[in-house]
């Protein structure tokens, strides 16, 4: 097979590489890892479907074929795909203005959301746009996740207390509704949910390798059964459908699709970032390579499969992926085995699943989501940069303020962070340089340094020279001209200019001609190859002449000072780093 065809086949069918990775030892490890992750996936799938406003069994459907497809076509062997808390909340928030939770229309819209977000991720992967996810900064993402964690906890408290939920409400209204409903708390539900939270916390602390969720749900579920929980008015999962899974093409309504498209874009972006964080951690621990674009394709296909299975959007799970990493899974076979174990449970014990108390599922969500709550990243963002801290805080506040339209929160943070980035690039650092006693050229104003010569000034510009900051560059040059009446030569220290566009070329050409008309000369040192290429293509390189090819300041001065009638400088004695 030709090499190009082989590479294409490996990209289209990445699971073909498993045969080189599997031997008797790794096969046994992957099988055991798959069984172990299923013990975590079953209770989480039931709980997260409840968070999305769907029947609990839909979470099990989303853990079957979508998980297998993601494992086959993804690039990270340790990434486990299925229902996750953040995607479930995004699903519920997107559907809240359009339908009633738990209704048939709600499920139809959830399927359409899976279809749309899957198509977007598939298109992003095919176009190799994975790096565009980096536009969403970490502070903005952390602010959004923290706010979503608060909203998830608020949404699960009614189920924990045995109350009737009010659906997706604004944050303040949700708090008020919860407070008003407290007198109607179902005490057996409260006792069961509290016991589950305590036991899950203890197991996570003292026995993290045990399948704590399954043990707690099985143990307390049995206690609730024998204690007459349902008879006392307690809410349970309910009967499962007779058919295990129904495959069908999603129904499409273009009006609904246009309503869902913004939420689908946010869901596609956030779910990929969630999956990407797991992939990066696994790659750092195992040394196995992963491909962001291939992972986008795998996640997109998983969502499309979820739509065909009449389920809802899935994503890479940070917790279950960490479980596979800890179990030393080496291929996607572990996730496939986990999905088959979920199917076996669905076929073997549907009656037991139907009688799981809902407060237990709420406790699972609360304990899991509590781990996402952390103000440390936002505090660190404020310490490192006020712009980052502001963007993260705006993302947090806007997500809570605009709930249930939580996509506004992350988009607000994204737009603010990009606006601040553009603003910073409009004001790059510009300094007139002087010779420091250690022999280097530094900011003359900051260090109180004399100029190289009364008729020569050295101006350093730190940043790309493009349309955003070309005016700042021009103002800086004109300011130097005003402050140095005897100026004959202006040397631009250009090592910090790593890019230049048409506006930058136009500004540089205009300044060159303006200085020449006044009997002054413009020179450059430290120009980078990519900048010189643009200068040559536009003809400006020929205009600047030989005085633009100097490697650094000390290379330029022996040629420029004689133009002023001054002797060339002696070679400096350097006692520090040149920066």
């Amino acid at each position: 097979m030709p090499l190009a065809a082989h590479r294409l086949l490996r990209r289209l069918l990445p699971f073909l590489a498993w045969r080189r990775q599997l031997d008797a030892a790794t096969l046994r490890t992957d099988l055991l890892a798959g069984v172990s992750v299923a013990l975590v996936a079953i209770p989480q799938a039931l709980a997260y479907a409840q968070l999305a406003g769907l029947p609990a069994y839909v979470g099990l459907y989303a853990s079957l074929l979508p998980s297998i497809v993601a494992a086959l076509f993804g690039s990270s062997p340790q990434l486990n795909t299925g229902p996750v808390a953040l995607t479930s909340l995004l699903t519920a928030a997107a559907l809240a203005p359009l339908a009633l939770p738990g209704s048939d229309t709600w499920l139809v819209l959830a399927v359409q959301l899976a279809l749309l977000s899957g198509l977007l991720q598939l298109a992003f992967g095919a176009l190799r746009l994975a790096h565009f996810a980096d536009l969403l900064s970490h502070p903005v993402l952390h602010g959004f996740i923290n706010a979503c964690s608060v909203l998830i906890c608020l949404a699960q408290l009614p189920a924990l207390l045995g109350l009737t939920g009010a659906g997706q409400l604004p944050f303040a209204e949700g708090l008020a509704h919860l407070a008003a409903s407290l007198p109607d708390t179902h005490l057996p539900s409260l006792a069961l949910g509290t016991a589950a939270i305590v036991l899950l916390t203890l197991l996570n602390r003292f026995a993290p390798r045990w399948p704590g969720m399954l043990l707690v749900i099985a143990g307390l579920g049995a206690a609730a059964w024998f204690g007459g929980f349902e008879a006392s008015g307690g809410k349970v999962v309910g009967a499962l459908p007779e058919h295990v899974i129904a495959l069908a093409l999603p129904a499409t309504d273009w009006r609904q699709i246009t309503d869902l498209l913004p939420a689908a874009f946010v869901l596609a972006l956030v779910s990929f970032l969630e999956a990407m964080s797991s992939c990066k951690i696994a790659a750092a621990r195992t040394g196995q390579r992963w491909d962001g674009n291939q992972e986008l394709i795998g996640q997109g296909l998983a969502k499309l499969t979820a739509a065909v299975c009449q389920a809802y959007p899935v994503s890479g799970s940070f917790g279950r992926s960490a479980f596979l990493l800890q179990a030393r899974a080496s291929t996607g076979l572990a996730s496939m085995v986990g999905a088959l174990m979920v199917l076996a449970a669905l076929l073997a014990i549907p009656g037991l699943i139907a009688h799981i108390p809902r407060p237990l599922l709420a406790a699972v969500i609360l304990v899991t989501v509590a781990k996402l709550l952390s103000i440390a990243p936002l505090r660190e963002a404020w310490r490192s940069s006020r712009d980052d801290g502001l963007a993260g805080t705006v993302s947090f506040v806007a997500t809570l303020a605009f709930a249930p339209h939580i996509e506004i929160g992350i988009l607000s943070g994204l737009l603010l962070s990009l606006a601040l980035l553009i603003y910073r690039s409009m004001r790059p650092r510009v300094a007139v340089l002087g010779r420091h006693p250690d022999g280097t050229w530094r900011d003359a104003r900051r260090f109180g340094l004399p100029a190289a010569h009364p008729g020569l000034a050295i101006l350093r510009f730190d940043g790309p020279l493009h349309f955003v900051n070309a005016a700042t560059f021009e103002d800086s040059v004109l300011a130097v001209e005003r402050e140095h009446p005897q100026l004959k030569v202006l040397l631009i220290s250009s090592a910090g200019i790593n890019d230049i566009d048409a506006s930058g070329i136009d500004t540089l050409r205009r300044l060159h001609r303006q200085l020449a008309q006044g009997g002054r000369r413009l020179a450059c040192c430290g120009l980078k190859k990519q900048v010189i290429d643009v200068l040559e293509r536009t003809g400006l390189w020929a205009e600047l002449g030989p005085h633009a090819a100097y490697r650094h300041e000390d290379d330029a001065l022996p040629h420029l000072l004689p133009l002023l009638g001054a002797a060339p400088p002696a070679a400096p004695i350097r006692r520090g780093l040149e920066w």
Side-chain angles (χ1 to χ4, degrees):
M1 180 184 295
L3 182 60
H6 180 67
R7 288 178 176 174
L8 178 62
L9 189 62
R10 285 185 59 186
R11 187 185 175 197
L12 294 177
L13 305 173
F15 56 87
L16 294 178
W18 295 359
R19 61 183 180 182
R20 298 195 309 270
Q21 301 169 3
L22 286 173
D23 53 29
T26 55
L27 178 61
R28 178 178 178 275
T29 301
D30 282 1
L31 291 175
L32 291 176
V35 173
S36 300
V37 80
L39 301 179
V40 179
I42 292 172
Q44 283 191 344
L46 295 168
Y48 293 151
Q50 176 178 293
L51 174 61
L54 294 163
Y57 63 82
V58 176
L60 295 177
Y61 293 173
S63 302
L64 300 176
L65 287 180
S67 181
I68 293 174
V69 169
L72 288 173
F73 293 96
S75 65
S76 177
Q78 292 80 26
L79 184 65
N80 183 265
T81 300
V84 297
L86 196 54
T87 301
S88 299
L89 178 65
L90 286 168
T91 299
L95 306 186
L98 306 175
L100 292 174
S103 64
D104 292 340
T105 304
W106 186 277
L107 178 57
V108 170
L109 291 175
V111 170
Q112 290 184 357
L113 186 62
L115 174 67
L116 284 175
S117 56
L119 287 174
L120 286 173
Q121 285 190 325
L122 190 61
F124 294 159
L127 295 173
R128 307 191 71 77
L129 299 179
H131 287 297
F132 276 86
D134 295 334
L135 290 175
L136 191 63
S137 68
H138 287 189
V140 170
L141 183 60
H142 284 303
F144 178 70
I145 289 175
N146 274 281
C148 286
S149 301
V150 173
L151 293 173
I152 290 172
C153 292
L154 179 62
Q156 291 307 299
L157 285 176
L160 187 78
L161 301 175
L163 303 172
T164 301
Q168 296 290 322
L169 294 175
F171 180 62
E173 290 184 25
L175 281 176
H177 180 272
L178 178 64
S181 303
L182 286 178
D184 300 325
T185 298
H186 184 245
L187 294 181
S189 296
L190 175 60
L192 200 62
T194 304
I197 290 175
V198 172
L199 290 174
L200 286 170
T201 303
L202 291 175
L203 286 171
N204 287 341
R205 176 69 183 276
F206 298 107
R209 294 180 178 272
W210 291 14
M213 292 182 185
L214 192 65
L215 292 175
V216 169
I217 287 181
L220 292 182
W225 170 265
F226 289 113
F229 177 75
E230 291 184 61
S232 69
K235 298 177 181 179
V236 297
V237 168
L240 275 63
E242 293 183 1
H243 55 272
V244 174
I245 193 168
L247 301 179
L249 292 176
T252 55
D253 184 325
W254 287 109
R255 183 179 60 82
Q256 292 175 340
I257 286 177
T258 55
D259 291 338
L260 289 173
L261 193 57
F265 176 80
V266 171
L267 193 149
L269 176 62
V270 173
S271 68
F272 174 63
L273 288 170
E274 191 173 17
M276 185 172 64
S277 63
S278 298
C279 294
K280 287 182 176 179
I281 292 174
R285 289 273 300 275
T286 65
Q288 292 176 300
R289 297 182 61 186
W290 72 286
D291 183 341
N293 293 298
Q294 185 62 46
E295 204 57 60
L296 267 172
I297 292 173
Q299 292 293 304
L301 290 174
K303 288 179 174 63
L304 294 178
T305 306
V308 173
C309 294
Q310 305 300 296
Y312 74 108
V314 295
S315 182
S317 167
F318 187 85
R320 295 194 299 274
S321 300
F323 203 88
L324 287 179
L325 182 61
Q326 188 178 25
R328 298 182 180 179
S330 57
T331 70
L333 180 63
S335 290
M336 294 181 63
V337 172
L340 294 176
M341 291 298 298
V342 173
L343 176 61
L346 192 57
L347 293 173
I349 53 171
L352 295 179
I353 293 175
H355 293 287
I356 294 177
R358 287 186 177 271
L360 296 182
L361 301 181
V364 168
I365 294 176
L366 289 170
V367 171
T368 303
V369 170
K371 300 175 184 177
L372 300 177
L373 278 169
S374 174
I375 63 171
L378 287 179
R379 187 167 56 240
E380 185 65 25
W382 277 107
R383 289 174 179 168
S384 60
S385 168
R386 286 183 297 177
D387 289 352
D388 284 341
L390 178 62
T393 303
V394 166
S395 178
F396 176 81
V397 174
T399 301
L400 292 180
F402 289 101
H405 302 287
I406 58 176
E407 68 276 5
I408 296 178
I410 195 168
L411 290 176
S412 299
L414 172 63
L415 293 176
L416 178 60
S417 62
L418 293 178
L420 291 172
L421 175 65
I422 293 173
Y423 180 77
R424 288 196 302 272
S425 67
M426 291 174 66
R427 302 288 180 182
R429 188 166 183 266
V430 183
V432 176
L433 303 184
R435 174 81 74 182
H436 193 272
D438 67 4
T440 61
W441 293 94
R442 302 192 185 185
D443 189 332
R445 179 173 298 174
R446 179 179 178 185
F447 293 97
L449 305 175
H453 186 276
L456 183 145
I458 304 176
L459 182 70
R460 186 176 66 199
F461 188 82
D462 293 335
L465 183 54
H466 47 50
F467 71 98
V468 172
N469 57 26
T472 300
F473 177 75
E474 184 172 9
D475 291 342
S476 301
V477 170
L478 296 178
V480 170
E481 190 177 12
R482 289 192 303 270
E483 294 169 3
H484 297 76
Q486 302 179 44
L487 183 70
K488 294 299 181 182
V489 176
L490 175 62
L491 174 63
I492 305 296
S493 180
S494 310
I497 303 176
N498 52 28
D499 191 22
I500 189 169
D501 67 358
S503 299
I505 290 292
D506 182 65
T507 300
L508 197 59
R509 178 181 283 115
R510 185 169 60 252
L511 288 171
H512 168 64
R513 293 176 178 176
Q514 181 176 333
L515 289 171
Q517 289 174 359
R520 299 180 177 92
R521 187 182 299 276
L522 180 68
C524 298
C525 69
L527 283 170
K528 292 188 166 121
K529 178 65 168 60
Q530 64 267 29
V531 176
I532 294 175
D533 290 342
V534 179
L535 295 176
E536 288 177 337
R537 289 199 301 268
T538 57
L540 184 54
W541 182 256
E543 289 188 42
L544 293 175
H547 296 298
Y550 302 121
R551 290 176 295 137
H552 47 72
E553 294 84 357
D554 291 319
D555 182 35
L557 289 182
H559 299 85
L560 297 178
L561 288 178
L563 300 177
L564 304 173
I573 300 174
R574 300 191 182 278
R575 294 187 292 273
L577 296 174
E578 183 172 3
W579 52 275

